[in-house]
Amino acid sequence: MKIRCSALMLRATLAASAALICLFFVPSSTAIAQRLPETVRPHHYSLTLTPDLKAATFSGVESIDLTLADPADHITLNAAEIAFQSVTINNNEHLQTATISLDQEKEQATFTFREPLTAGKATLAIHYTGILNNELRGFYLSKTAKRNYAVTQFESTDARRAYPSFDEPAFKATYDVSLVIDSGDTGISNGPIISDVPGPGEGKHTLTFLTTPKMSTYLVAFLVGDFQCTSGESDGVAIRACSTPDKVALTPYAVDVAKYVLHYYDTYFGIPYPLKKLDLIALPDFEAGAMENFGAITYRETDMLIDPKTASIGAKKEVALVVAHEMAHQWFGDLVTMKWWDNIWLNEGFATWMENKPVAAMHPEWNIDQAVASDEEGTLNLDAQPTTRAIRAKADTREEIEQMFDGISYGKASDVLLAVENYLGPETFRKGVHAYLSAHLYSNATAEDFWNAQTATSHKPVDKIMESLVAQPGEPLLTFGEPANGSVSVSQKRFFLSPSIQPDPAQKWTIPVCIKTGTDKQDCHVLTPADSSLTTPGVALFFANAGGKGYYRSAYPPSVYAALVANAETDLSPAERISLVGDEWAQVRANKATAGDFLNLVSALKADSSAEVMDDALVGVNSTYQRIAATPEEHAALSAWIRQTFAPEYAKLGDPSAGDSPNTTELRARLFSILGNYGKDPAVLAQAHEIADKYLANPSSVDPTLGQTALAIAARNGDAALFDKLQQVYETSTNPEFQEGALRLLAQFEDPALVQRSLDYAASNKVRNQDALIQYAIGLRVDANRDQTWKYVKSHWETVRTLLTPELGGYLVGSAGSFCSAEARDDVNAFFTAHKVPSADRTLRHSIESINGCIELRALQEPNLQRWIAEQPKP
């Protein structure tokens, strides 16, 4: 499953804040997920489902072939929101009818039999009914203005809402699926259609799908509607990208990406994609970014459907990466699945790490390695919060399971894999991946299975490295001395962004440390808790994180740091410069460097030619403006410095041209954004309105990346006429990129009357449930709108509460962490304590920590900022 900030939040102007929302989001639920006994194991399910899309109900006929390890008089499995009509069992040719008892809290059904069942094979036969809910989970309704669709989302524990099942990942089985649907509709499931016959009944037809391989319950999918598809083929596999009929013209891009990615993965893994077909389906209502159902991947429309002629570079990257992420799951997660949810990182971390490889190969001009380094900076900041967790953590209840889908399972796990791959070398690591997958095909695995395979393949201490990084929360700070005589001193301790937290001196890591020895060259060592020095090659410039791929923060003596800054543009790669910028901002947060030190580093990099380096530098500038500066005078001084520093660099890039590289296009947009939003540059503000008007009139008339950035700037300074235009785009466009972009911008207008309109609009029936809470989250992230949005949320809580879905409430609570005062902190804490959001207890703790962190940062760094401002030359 993919939860992406850019898919769920705004794409450009609030990037730093949006990242915080996704990183802090840890959905939960109050229901208990009780483990099932292992004495009954399913082998095969036969499912026939008949959905009634108008009545929002469905009926099911199911048989489950299973094996009992011991004699028993009852069988317990999972079921939720299911009404049983009959349950029988055939055990050794003896047929019995079950007595059914339900435990709603545990989401279990127990079938009790009058005569004991013998050990061995048996077949359950179940007739039942269920509801097509509006909660974006289980078997649910997705709606357009014209009709309803019946679709599924089962991860992590919602297959039980569609069919009674042994709903745990280790209970793998094969599936035969049939759908009885309206004659004008089609159906999609994990396998291809092998039969389409009329009936039963007038106006119906029955689709039967090819038997699936062994797979976990949460990977089953069935979808019903008038889907239309674009087709392709790769390595003998039929590939389709499907959508509602009005958007099918936007599907070819995803097919092209999928064709390339499938061949790449077949080659990389050395294990061919195991199914006969692969469908990608965009759904109008979908809570996450995408879901890796085996052979039938589902997507939020914005993560799959684009027009490459009018799409921004960011949107193209987003769709390519999400497609690649979900396709990686076909091997990591579907073919080989974690035994239990405590190792969900074996799914999500691997897919996050792997998604970058085919996209980088397909589009080298996108500089994906730099984006990976940038993403790692966000993960390191997350892992340095007061409250974090180990990659592998306890996950027994539904609440604990859902909390595992966070920035640790995705980001940190991916970064740890990257660090180990960098240490071993790509080919050695690939061989270890192949050995791991080959040993567990159509089965389940643990973390130990993976790192033992890598250790056996590489003959290096991967097991010790990965256990150290997977089992411990947090990250190390490596403090280096002056290199001398072929050695450098190094100490390690856990790093926290808050200087008030003292780390446990006993906590240390076994990690690979790679020292840069030249362009694309490195010398790697394993640093253990007992080590106090490393051998170092004779290099003129000492940089201890070659490629920016190590999972640690670095601190250097003043002379070494000064040399790095002086030579960063000539001797460090863009990914290494991103690491240098991230380490310095982390030092500011930890009060080991000043805000002025960081801004001086940004000045030294102001002419950097990499859009990703600039973006990371500007995230710190934005944070300085928002979370350190506190007075109009300080904001004005920072705005003047931004104009003085970046206006000449923006001017050097000139107007967009057809020959611009993607990097140049994105760099121009980054500089344009900082000058408009925080520099308050009059010329840029005027230009933004001009470009925005052209973009709205004809999106193909201007560079889409700059056009979307200009529109975001214009919206923050916009009037009712612009608001009306964007609202019309949202309501009438059939392009999801335009639709979502317009909707998100409505929450960024700063005129109080338009803020009120935006808040009311989010609660209207014009906005889908999957989007409504995000509008309030954005309002809480915009400085000028925060107080008004918070007052609205509190005073309209009964309305806002109805918009909560089982997972999206966390976005709202997480965004409340944008405040920066003790009074607001206490208000947020008191309100959400009294008005509990079911999916957000832990998120509330993170929000309070975020507010406390801002209070502390401002108290420590505002005086430093004031001194730095006073030292700046007057314009």
Side-chain angles (χ1 to χ4, degrees), residues 37-50:
E38 297 185 5
T39 53
V40 181
R41 301 195 70 88
H43 302 294
H44 180 75
Y45 292 80
S46 292
L47 294 171
T48 299
L49 295 124
T50 306

Side-chain angles (χ1 to χ4, degrees), residues 589 627-628 817-826 848-862:
R589 295 285 304 274
R627 301 178 75 80
I628 297 177
S818 299
F819 284 103
C820 197
S821 71
E823 180 182 7
R825 175 200 62 205
D826 295 343
I848 299 306
E849 289 174 357
S850 177
I851 299 171
N852 285 334
C854 184
I855 295 169
E856 181 180 51
L857 178 66
R858 181 169 289 171
L860 293 171
Q861 290 293 342
E862 188 181 9

Side-chain angles (χ1 to χ4, degrees), residues 58 80-82 107 137-139 158-163 398:
F58 66 94
E81 299 175 350
I82 293 292
E107 297 182 341
R137 60 175 178 167
F139 201 9
D158 288 313
R160 63 195 65 177
R161 299 179 190 279
Y163 62 101
R398 173 190 282 272

Side-chain angles (χ1 to χ4, degrees), residues 39-287:
T39 53
V40 181
R41 301 195 70 88
H43 302 294
H44 180 75
Y45 292 80
S46 292
L47 294 171
T48 299
L49 295 124
T50 306
D52 185 331
L53 275 60
K54 292 182 180 179
T57 61
F58 66 94
S59 61
V61 178
E62 174 183 29
S63 68
I64 309 174
D65 297 334
L66 49 82
T67 298
L68 291 86
D70 303 308
D73 64 358
H74 68 277
I75 292 174
T76 298
L77 47 61
N78 296 111
E81 299 175 350
I82 293 292
F84 290 93
Q85 296 172 329
S86 67
V87 177
T88 61
I89 193 166
N90 188 334
N91 175 231
N92 284 337
E93 303 303 322
H94 180 52
L95 191 66
Q96 294 191 65
T97 299
T99 300
I100 306 163
S101 60
L102 302 178
D103 188 326
Q104 292 184 355
E105 186 178 25
K106 293 180 180 179
E107 297 182 341
Q108 291 181 353
T110 298
F111 307 145
T112 303
F113 303 95
R114 182 176 302 175
E115 300 176 30
L117 306 173
T118 61
K121 295 182 178 180
T123 299
L124 279 170
I126 305 171
H127 288 69
Y128 65 97
T129 60
I131 59 171
L132 296 173
N133 66 70
N134 291 308
E135 297 181 352
L136 308 179
R137 60 175 178 167
F139 201 9
Y140 71 91
L141 283 182
S142 181
K143 303 175 182 179
T144 68
K146 294 183 177 180
R147 59 160 300 155
N148 291 344
Y149 295 78
V151 301
T152 57
Q153 168 59 35
F154 292 157
E155 191 175 33
S156 54
T157 58
D158 288 313
R160 63 195 65 177
R161 299 179 190 279
Y163 62 101
S165 54
F166 297 83
D167 196 11
E168 296 181 7
F171 289 123
K172 286 196 168 187
T174 56
Y175 289 81
D176 283 324
V177 175
S178 295
L179 297 173
V180 180
I181 59 178
D182 292 342
S183 56
D185 281 345
T186 189
I188 300 172
S189 190
N190 303 89
I193 296 172
I194 58 172
S195 173
D196 182 353
V197 298
E202 186 178 351
K204 298 288 185 181
H205 67 138
T206 300
L207 301 179
T208 301
F209 300 86
L210 184 68
T211 303
T212 72
K214 284 180 64 177
M215 62 185 192
S216 301
T217 50
Y218 75 91
L219 297 169
V220 176
F222 24 88
L223 306 97
V224 178
D226 58 353
F227 296 105
Q228 294 184 9
C229 309
T230 298
S231 300
E233 180 272 337
S234 181
D235 288 2
V237 175
I239 296 175
R240 298 189 304 171
C242 308
S243 70
T244 56
D246 58 323
K247 297 182 175 68
V248 70
L250 302 176
T251 57
Y253 181 84
V255 172
D256 290 342
V257 173
K259 288 163 57 178
Y260 185 96
V261 171
L262 189 138
H263 177 70
Y264 184 98
Y265 285 164
D266 279 351
T267 303
Y268 181 90
F269 295 127
I271 300 169
Y273 174 75
L275 304 183
K276 293 182 179 297
K277 65 91 174 174
L278 174 65
D279 289 333
L280 290 65
I281 312 102
L283 302 179
D285 295 281
F286 197 74
E287 196 162 27

